[in-house]
Structures are given as structure tokens and as C-alpha cells.
Amino acid sequence: MTEAETPVWLRQLKRAIRGNRRDAHNRYVQFATLGLDGKPRVRMVVFRGFSRSEASFFIITDARSEKVKELAQCPDVEVSWYFTQTREQFRLQCSAVTHNHGTDADLHRDALWKGLSDAAKAQFFWPEPGLPSGEGQSLEITTHPPESFVVIECSPQRVDHLVLAKIQRRTLSDLTASGWTEVSINP
Ligand SMILES: Cc1cc2nc3c(=O)[nH]c(=O)nc-3n(C[C@H](O)[C@H](O)[C@H](O)COP(=O)(O)O)c2cc1C
């Protein structure tokens, strides 16, 4: 994607990531799914970077977690991201694809796995998340990414960008058949 082809929201999001890099938490985002009971679920996850085309971005998680079961039922998610230095919020409505072991996205899995600290890797060998403490089986420790390690690839379809300045600004961007469109809306 050339600079001119880059959607406005993506340029602004990348600028916000750069402008807030001194905050340790600038890569923590809220990740909302639809629960199996039809009720909303939200939790914090770490943004792990954009795909090469920048049409999507990655999150990593445990294949045994609730969110992976939820995504199998409903791939629509919303990611909410607040940057404290520049005081702006991005809400990204996305469709999500889960890349498990043995899928054509093994390259992403391998690259993201290699970038993890030993402590972060260790969590993927722990007993099944969500079971009562002390229950569940630890997984055999391997050097390659275990089956529990999955990459969630999120492709934004709609982005709501709110800037908290003296005069607040809010822009809605939608992905249409002919590309991204933007409309300025009342905050
Ligand atoms: C700062 C922070 C970062 C986190 N990052 C991740 C992450 O990148 N991936 C992940 O699966 N869970 C992450 N978690 C844990 C999740 O918030 C959540 O507790 C866990 O994934 C289980 O969620 P689930 O049962 O809804 O699937 C993080 C939690 C915190 C507080």
C-alpha cells in the first residue's frame, strides 16, 4: 500500500502509535466478542502489529481460551484503543480469522512466536485457561509454536476515530466495494 492509498484512519492510527510510544501500555487494546450466551465479552489483549498489506493486524492468544470458541461462532469483533498522550480513541469493527497450527498462516505464527519472551511463551504450555486452579494438563514443552498458540487476524471494516481536543472531532470510516470512505460526524 503506497502512502497515498493508505486510508486516513490507518495513517492516523499509525501516527497515534508513534506519538504514544513512551507509554508502556500504548499497545494494550480492548477486544470485544459476542459470548456463546449472546452477551458481550471484553478483555485486554496486546496489539502485535500489522500484516504486510496493512489491511489487517494481529493478536495472539491461547487456542483453548473462550474468545477462540466465541470467534468460531461469530467472527465479528470490536477493538477499542485509547491513546493517553494524544487523547484519541479508535474503535475498530473487524472481521476476525483465527490461524491455528497447520494453516497457511504458519509464517505469521512462526514470526510472532519467535518475537515472544520466554515468559510469554511459557504461558502457552500451562494447563487449560479457565478451569478451576489445579485442574487441567500442562502441555509438553516444545521449541516450535505449540497447538495452543493461535494468531487472530483482524480486518477492520469500520473505524470510529474520536479526538478529545478543545473542539472534539469524530470521523467514521467505512470499507466499501470501492475502498474506504470517511465522514465527519458529531462527537
Ligand atoms: C495487559 C494485559 C495484556 C493481555 N494480553 C493478552 C493477549 O495478548 N492475548 C490474550 O489472549 N490475553 C491477554 N490478556 C489476558 C486477557 O485479558 C484474558 O484474561 C484472557 O485472554 C482470557 O480471556 P477469554 O477467557 O475471554 O478468552 C492480557 C491481559 C492484560 C491485563
Side-chain angles (χ1 to χ4, degrees), residues 93 158-161 170-174 181-185:
Q93 287 182 25
R158 163 173 275 205
V159 179
D160 180 341
H161 180 206
R170 187 172 172 200
T171 310
L172 207 51
S173 302
D174 278 297
T181 59
E182 291 89 35
V183 57
S184 179
I185 58 173

Side-chain angles (χ1 to χ4, degrees), residues 29-35 40-45 57 59 67 70-71 74-81 89-96 152-161 170 172:
V29 301
Q30 300 292 349
F31 184 77
T33 49
L34 186 65
R41 294 287 185 283
V42 67
R43 78 287 282 161
M44 192 90 89
V45 295
F57 62 90
I59 281 160
K67 68 182 89 48
E70 291 160 7
L71 292 176
C74 175
D76 299 321
V77 302
E78 184 158 308
V79 169
S80 179
W81 205 338
Q89 170 183 262
F90 290 84
R91 294 168 67 196
L92 303 114
Q93 287 182 25
C94 307
S95 57
I152 301 174
E153 182 170 8
C154 300
S155 302
Q157 313 290 316
R158 163 173 275 205
V159 179
D160 180 341
H161 180 206
R170 187 172 172 200
L172 207 51

Side-chain angles (χ1 to χ4, degrees), residues 28 33 41-48 59-62 65-68 70 129:
Y28 295 166
T33 49
R41 294 287 185 283
V42 67
R43 78 287 282 161
M44 192 90 89
V45 295
V46 177
F47 165 81
R48 299 278 174 184
I59 281 160
I60 61 169
T61 196
D62 195 306
S65 68
E66 283 306 306
K67 68 182 89 48
V68 171
E70 291 160 7

Side-chain angles (χ1 to χ4, degrees), residues 39-187:
K39 295 179 182 174
R41 294 287 185 283
V42 67
R43 78 287 282 161
M44 192 90 89
V45 295
V46 177
F47 165 81
R48 299 278 174 184
F50 292 103
S51 60
R52 189 169 296 182
S53 71
E54 299 189 326
S56 57
F57 62 90
F58 301 116
I59 281 160
I60 61 169
T61 196
D62 195 306
R64 304 163 295 173
S65 68
E66 283 306 306
K67 68 182 89 48
V68 171
K69 295 172 198 147
E70 291 160 7
L71 292 176
Q73 296 296 313
C74 175
D76 299 321
V77 302
E78 184 158 308
V79 169
S80 179
W81 205 338
Y82 180 60
F83 294 96
T84 50
Q85 294 296 320
T86 53
R87 300 179 66 222
E88 54 194 316
Q89 170 183 262
F90 290 84
R91 294 168 67 196
L92 303 114
Q93 287 182 25
C94 307
S95 57
V97 175
T98 305
H99 298 297
N100 299 88
H101 170 70
T103 59
D104 54 4
D106 268 359
L107 275 180
H108 299 315
R109 285 181 78 242
D110 289 348
L112 288 166
W113 180 255
K114 281 196 187 114
L116 292 183
S117 65
D118 286 346
K121 283 179 180 163
Q123 298 178 35
F124 290 91
F125 302 102
W126 289 353
E128 189 171 350
L131 288 186
S133 299
E135 289 188 18
Q137 295 282 311
S138 298
L139 301 181
E140 190 193 331
I141 295 179
T142 55
T143 49
H144 57 267
E147 291 189 14
S148 56
F149 178 71
V150 297
V151 173
I152 301 174
E153 182 170 8
C154 300
S155 302
Q157 313 290 316
R158 163 173 275 205
V159 179
D160 180 341
H161 180 206
L162 173 68
V163 182
L164 298 180
K166 250 193 200 133
I167 301 177
Q168 292 196 10
R169 284 179 283 126
R170 187 172 172 200
T171 310
L172 207 51
S173 302
D174 278 297
L175 183 58
T176 69
S178 52
W180 283 94
T181 59
E182 291 89 35
V183 57
S184 179
I185 58 173
N186 293 332

